[in-house]
Amino acid sequence: MAPESTMSQAKSLPPAAAPRKALTLFDASLVGPAIGDAFRKLDPRTQARSPVMFVVYVGSIMTTLMLVLSLAGPGAADSGFILAISVWLWFTVLFANFAEALAEGRSKAQAASLRGLKTAVMAKKLATPKHGTPWLPAPGTDLRKGNVILVEAGDVIPIDGEVIEGVASVDESAITGESAPVIRESGGDFSAVTGGTRVLSDWLVVRVSVNPGETFLDRMISMVEGAKRQKTPNEIALTILLVALTIVFLVVTVTLLPFSLFGVAAAGAGSPVSVTVLIALLVCLIPTTIGALLSSIGVAGMSRMMGANVIATSGRAVEAAGDVDVLLLDKTGTITLGNRQAAGFFPAPGVTEQQLADVAQLASLADETPEGRSIVVLAKQRFNIREREMGALHAVFIPFSANTRMSGVDIGERQVRKGAADSARKHVEALGMPYPAGMGRLVDDVSRRGSTPLVVADGARVMGVVELKDIVKGGIKERFAELRRMGIKTVMITGDNKLTAAAIAAEAGVDDFLAEATPEDKLKLIRDYQGEGRLVAMTGDGTNDAPALAQADVAVAMNSGTQAAKEAGNMVDLDSNPTKLLEIVEIGKQMLMTRGSLTTFSIANDIAKYFAIIPAAFVGTYPQLKALDIMGLSSPDSAIMSAVIFNALIIIVLIPLALKGVRYRAIGAAALLRRNILIYGVGGIVLPFAGIKLIDMVLSALHLV
């Protein structure tokens, strides 16, 4: 097809979707729908999913019915008092619904933004999988697995695929939220492209890897929408505990009515406690705070994971991340930067360092790899050795080969080589020269420092060793120390020899390492740790990682990785950053910490309510109970009303904490427990006393009771 046709077709393609917008905590686009959802959630079928709040819901209905009865005739309590109690009980239910709806709204917004990326575009379908061959326009929805398409600068990639030819800059901000473009090219670990992203420069020939409806975007949407409703094992266990506490308080409250009737009859004075007061007492005593926020904590945890550009298949995966106690981390790209750089020249006996640098630079002049370029630069920096033109030397570049494990140049009859130690030995011996005895010691010394040794030979003469150092990422040692304080073991996995692996492991501060690792070794290591009762997390991006990912408790697949790896993992990192595993663990722990802290706070809250409601409810029959009114509340009605109002308002106050999560701190379990008890246990006792007293003062000042 003609170039003009190509240009016109490219212009007809719609632009890629805008980058995902970050939502604030109380974003206007979330609050409005959440208020509407709070009322829609008053459906009994919805309320029944939360046993604790269902009790409050039933109590609200009962007080409303008693209000109607009191308006029809004299009742056991004042109509105004019943009205106030009923209104605040409904507020309690609505506030709980609002918290859940606000958390769900964030997930819905995330799913909607992802759904907006599914733009119908025309694809350039190639009959022959080769750039420059004719193409025909075809709707993106008609593409099938195995089809080959062309995408050029300005085109939106219509569907997921694998680059089989070309290299191009791609804008993935719509998926990852990252504005910087990424390079996608054929071969290697960065050949995967995602539908909905846009090519900024050059061109790509892409083989479609999925059918419509099975794309990564489709999976992301189903993950975000499907995960938020699933209760995690810890959440289920906590729900059972809360139900048990609710049943206990329900039995206690029910028995108080006949007790009150008997007490009044025996004393011949006072009046029995009203059903309205008993309902207020029950609602205040059961763990309504954590019951109201439990669901929103789980949903918010999923949202925070999504905010970190990680898609989790379920809340179970997020929770498991919080319980992880072993991290398996690849060396290259995770612990180290991944680009080895020349760090030193170590000459053989009888060779000067400058002579070694000169020959090493000569062998690297045509080597465009980062390692090769770093050798040229280091020789120039150390000895001011200028680069030479390969053409002027009439040199022939010998590229690296997996068979020879060497590269270099041929200048006439002169053979200059650099490569692995054993390959260099074979090369020298093949030329009829002995391999220097001291070279083995030099190679071992470099390996012990965690570096990679390259032996340089000029013909049959061994010149020495070039040290290639893989730089450990800045700050990674401190992060590993934090994980250690939390009781998490870090294990480095590498294909390097044991000497190199041990050196890098010591420099990075990991607890253990697995050297010369194969896929089978990874799988065995995971099973061994799981056999000890540990939860294991790991990352992977290749098909060979799929078995280990499937076995791990938390398996994070890279977005740029293979389809097999993505399917084996229970999380997908959109940024394809292996270090993200550390952040995932932190988010998981933060969710567990938030749930534990708010549970502690909720249970501690009850103590103040004992001193507020119980004396108020029975002081008419037993005046001695006035001594328990340590807050000095103005009246029994005011005490009960203040406790109910505080019980409702505290839910609203804690919504930001439930959605944002408790601040993560890298401390041990014992220290974390002490901090939790001090802040949320003691704080949960003190705050209600102050809050109830303040509300009582306001009610009295306004003459509302």
Side-chain angles (χ1 to χ4, degrees), residues 280-551:
L281 176 63
L282 174 63
V283 169
C284 289
L285 294 186
I286 64 175
T288 51
T289 306
I290 185 62
L293 299 173
L294 185 59
S295 177
S296 60
I297 292 170
V299 177
M302 296 292 300
S303 290
R304 284 197 296 276
M305 197 67 77
M306 180 68 184
N309 274 350
V310 177
I311 303 294
T313 57
S314 67
R316 183 187 295 267
V318 181
E319 189 172 87
D323 286 328
V324 160
D325 46 16
V326 177
L327 291 186
L328 302 187
L329 303 156
D330 280 329
K331 184 202 74 172
T332 306
T334 304
I335 295 173
T336 64
L337 295 174
N339 293 328
R340 294 178 299 178
Q341 303 289 312
F345 299 107
F346 300 91
V351 180
T352 67
E353 188 177 349
Q354 184 168 352
Q355 288 174 324
L356 169 60
D358 182 69
V359 175
Q361 188 194 64
L362 186 62
S364 306
L365 287 175
D367 187 352
E368 294 299 327
T369 65
E371 294 91 340
R373 299 311 302 166
S374 71
I375 293 174
V376 174
V377 171
L378 183 64
K380 186 186 295 184
Q381 290 174 342
R382 290 276 184 90
F383 303 102
N384 199 27
I385 302 174
R386 298 184 179 275
E387 295 184 34
R388 291 148 284 189
E389 289 292 332
M390 298 294 288
L393 295 172
H394 304 289
V396 178
F397 176 57
I398 307 299
F400 177 84
S401 163
N403 292 325
T404 64
R405 296 174 66 199
M406 299 184 75
S407 65
V409 294
D410 287 344
I411 306 173
E413 297 295 322
R414 184 183 181 189
Q415 297 181 355
V416 180
R417 296 288 187 272
K418 68 178 193 295
D422 56 342
S423 298
R425 177 192 288 274
K426 292 177 183 177
H427 172 74
V428 170
E429 290 175 349
L431 294 176
M433 293 294 290
Y435 190 75
M439 289 304 299
R441 186 173 63 256
L442 277 178
V443 170
D444 288 344
D445 288 344
V446 170
S447 297
R448 285 191 189 95
R449 289 194 294 272
S451 303
T452 301
L454 280 184
V455 176
V456 180
D458 188 354
R461 185 185 183 190
V462 177
M463 302 299 292
V465 174
V466 178
E467 179 182 8
L468 295 180
K469 189 174 181 62
D470 199 353
I471 308 300
V472 174
K473 288 182 177 179
I476 198 78
K477 189 171 185 177
E478 288 73 19
R479 297 198 71 177
F480 288 154
E482 289 180 0
L483 293 171
R484 192 176 299 109
R485 285 196 294 272
M486 298 187 71
I488 298 174
K489 183 177 182 178
T490 51
V491 181
M492 182 186 76
I493 298 175
T494 177
D496 289 341
N497 61 64
K498 292 183 179 179
L499 285 176
T500 302
I504 294 178
E507 185 179 354
V510 296
D511 298 312
D512 201 356
F513 66 90
L514 177 66
E516 301 172 351
T518 64
E520 292 77 15
D521 293 334
K522 293 181 186 179
L523 189 60
K524 183 179 181 301
L525 184 65
I526 293 171
R527 286 173 174 168
D528 289 344
Y529 279 122
Q530 290 174 334
E532 298 172 5
R534 300 190 177 209
L535 291 183
V536 181
M538 72 164 290
T539 60
D541 57 4
T543 302
N544 62 341
D545 292 324
L549 287 171
Q551 183 66 37

Side-chain angles (χ1 to χ4, degrees), residues 192-203:
V193 291
T194 305
T197 59
R198 182 175 58 198
V199 177
L200 298 179
S201 68
D202 302 292
W203 53 267

Side-chain angles (χ1 to χ4, degrees), residues 74-120:
D78 179 70
S79 298
F81 177 75
I82 299 175
L83 172 63
I85 293 292
S86 180
V87 167
W88 280 103
L89 290 185
W90 282 116
F91 273 146
T92 305
V93 177
L94 288 171
F95 291 162
N97 291 348
F98 175 76
E100 183 179 22
L102 194 61
E104 290 177 354
R106 191 174 297 271
S107 292
K108 290 176 182 176
Q110 290 168 340
S113 70
L114 294 173
R115 196 176 286 107
L117 302 180
K118 297 179 64 178
T119 313

